[in-house]
Amino acid sequence: MSTTLISLNRKAAEFISTPKKMLINGRWVESVTNETIETRNPATGEIITTVPNGGVEDINLAVAAARKAFDDGPWRMMKPNERAKLLLKLADLVEENGEELAHLETLDNGAPVNVTKYYPTAAADDFRYYAGWATKVTGQTIPVSIPGDIFNYTRKEAIGVCGQIIPWNGPFLMAVWKLSAPLATGNTVVLKPASLTPLVALRLGELVQEAGFPDGVVNIVTGSGSIAGTALTEHPDVDKIAFTGSTEVGRQIMRSSSINVKKVSLELGGKSAHIVFADANYDQAIANAATGIFTNSGQACVAGSRLFVEKKIYDNFMSDLADYTKNFKLGDGFDQATNLGPLISAQQKDSVLNYVDIGQQEGAEVLIGGNTSERDLEGGYYVKPTVIANVNNNMRIAQEEIFGPVISGIPFEDIDEVIKLANQTEYGLGGGVNTTDVSKAHRVAHGLRTGNVWVNTYNLLDPASPFGGYKQSGLGREHGSESIDMYTETKSVWINLD
Ligand code: TAP
């Protein structure tokens, strides 16, 4: 491994030098039981620090604080431009502390600094975009036709206390997405980060306080999904749950949220089709296919994990894609040369490698990748970029979310066949099309039953454009005006003018 390690930002080093606390009602507290959980660096397996293992009582305290801040509080009543100012201040603070946040993300999640260095700007953009919305959430006047002199209008009102549960694969930006729109619309929040990656959320909590948000508006409880997460989703004083994570847990959350009929939005798994036609710009399509799967080491809900390649170029394309993976430098995210980090945990590594075995047992052929035997990567949870050929769409590796750097190539004959195959999955999150034929591009984009389609590119996101899934990939959309709808209730007001 190269030894050009970037040194850890000084403030990040200070941050992890003490056991962390969690944020409830404007105070940094231990869990009621004083229990803690360890968080580890996936590049080395070493313990970084500990965070509180919050449980039912901690969730109760956090929800009570969020409830009070909403019901009695300064937040819902605060003028929209004041809420906007606080979000703008938070955006500035995120930028000012950008390197520290990026380094904490690399330490906790493994994504290379080469990638996480862009997150502070993306995070600040998100807060600024929704700061802009705070003053623009309007109702309508409605020309009703019933008898009498009746004036009817609608108001968009905050839903209340939002329980925000996020995964480990993008802890920084996921935390930001789960704060920006709900706060802009006047909701209060209890955020539960993933047990494996709690650090950036806790540091964001400090910045929320520094920006001057009133106590109880943002609460951050660390703890396990099975206890703290369940307590949040079952809590009768929580009005909405927004969750990003696995489809299996998404189903459980729908069930537990039914207790008091919470509003629920879900951003779940995917098995996205990335389609390459023979007329595509070949080199661009290779790069897109690689970016589509290897970004974040394949630990992305939108990962283009099923690669459909037109039969006449299939063999060459798969072999060139395998060659292209040699451009990836696997290693510690703090190594300047690294552009592919470790997986999040030993368990995730085992699960991914098990899928590679399953693929081979099913008759597929591993062209490159699989396990790493490089001695200098021992200790971390590394899997080489892996390209698998001779896959058919019914195999488990083509139907189940692997969540690792593994791409499965499937040949196809024509546009109708590929649209059909691409839609033969329980998921519907992303999709990619590579072609120089504009009519094919639109036909496929319209034919895919997915929430996002990228043409001759992949993985683009912007706070202004809605993001979410069809079928079992989710419920609702984050970003854009759709997020405003997701965090507001619509009230119809009737006035008799006679
Ligand atoms: P999940 O188990 O879905 O965890 C996501 C979040 O939900 C974490 O904060 C987790 O807490 C919490 N959680 C777990 N069980 C819960 C419950 N019963 N009630 C409320 N909250 C609960 O995902 P994971 O274990 O991190 O990853 C498993 C698989 O999910 C991955 O291999 C991948 O296929 C998929 N995944 C998908 C995505 C996206 S973006 N679609 C993201 C991550 C993972 P803990 O961290 O304490 O468990």
Side-chain angles (χ1 to χ4, degrees), residues 83-333:
R83 285 203 302 269
K85 271 188 214 160
L86 286 171
L87 283 164
L88 291 172
K89 174 78 181 148
L90 182 56
D92 291 345
L93 287 170
V94 163
E95 275 182 337
E96 282 165 28
N97 296 278
E99 187 183 78
E100 178 190 356
L101 290 161
H103 281 199
L104 287 175
E105 180 86 340
T106 295
L107 205 56
D108 215 12
N109 157 275
V113 169
N114 277 326
V115 175
T116 59
K117 69 184 178 190
Y118 297 110
Y119 292 178
T121 306
D125 281 354
D126 214 282
F127 284 131
R128 291 192 182 117
Y129 174 80
Y130 281 106
W133 264 109
T135 50
K136 295 163 196 73
V137 180
T138 56
Q140 294 177 310
T141 57
I142 307 205
V144 292
S145 301
I146 57 170
D149 194 359
I150 303 293
F151 175 47
N152 179 240
Y153 66 94
T154 58
R155 282 168 54 77
K156 291 284 221 181
E157 298 179 352
I159 294 178
V161 175
C162 297
Q164 311 294 84
I165 302 177
I166 54 174
W168 44 258
N169 64 323
F172 185 176
L173 294 177
M174 285 300 100
V176 169
W177 291 22
K178 293 288 187 284
L179 292 173
S180 54
L183 293 177
T185 40
N187 297 279
T188 58
V189 165
V190 177
L191 175 70
K192 195 209 85 65
S195 313
L196 292 170
T197 55
L199 295 183
V200 171
L202 294 176
R203 181 66 183 115
L204 278 174
E206 292 182 352
L207 298 181
V208 162
Q209 286 194 300
E210 193 177 336
F213 284 78
D215 292 348
V217 171
V218 175
N219 305 274
I220 302 172
V221 178
T222 50
S224 76
S226 54
I227 297 176
T230 304
L232 191 57
T233 58
E234 289 183 347
H235 203 296
D237 283 339
V238 173
D239 301 293
K240 178 189 160 73
I241 293 287
F243 168 76
T244 298
S246 61
T247 297
E248 191 192 332
V249 173
R251 281 191 206 101
Q252 288 174 32
I253 284 178
M254 284 184 88
R255 280 193 291 272
S256 46
S257 295
S258 70
I259 286 174
N260 63 333
V261 195
K262 293 181 180 65
K263 315 295 173 231
V264 177
S265 55
L266 305 170
E267 202 270 279
L268 307 175
K271 197 70 199 176
S272 300
H274 202 151
I275 299 167
V276 180
F277 286 96
D279 63 25
N281 174 329
Y282 191 85
D283 292 343
Q284 185 188 60
I286 295 267
N288 287 342
T291 307
I293 185 67
F294 299 127
T295 299
N296 216 29
S297 300
Q299 303 169 116
C301 47
V302 291
S305 50
R306 286 185 301 152
L307 178 67
F308 291 97
V309 183
E310 197 168 340
K311 205 166 249 171
K312 53 188 158 190
I313 61 162
Y314 178 82
D315 288 337
N316 284 343
F317 193 90
M318 294 307 294
S319 139
D320 289 339
L321 178 62
D323 258 5
Y324 187 89
T325 65
K326 294 173 188 157
N327 294 323
F328 288 96
K329 169 78 176 70
L330 189 63
D332 187 322

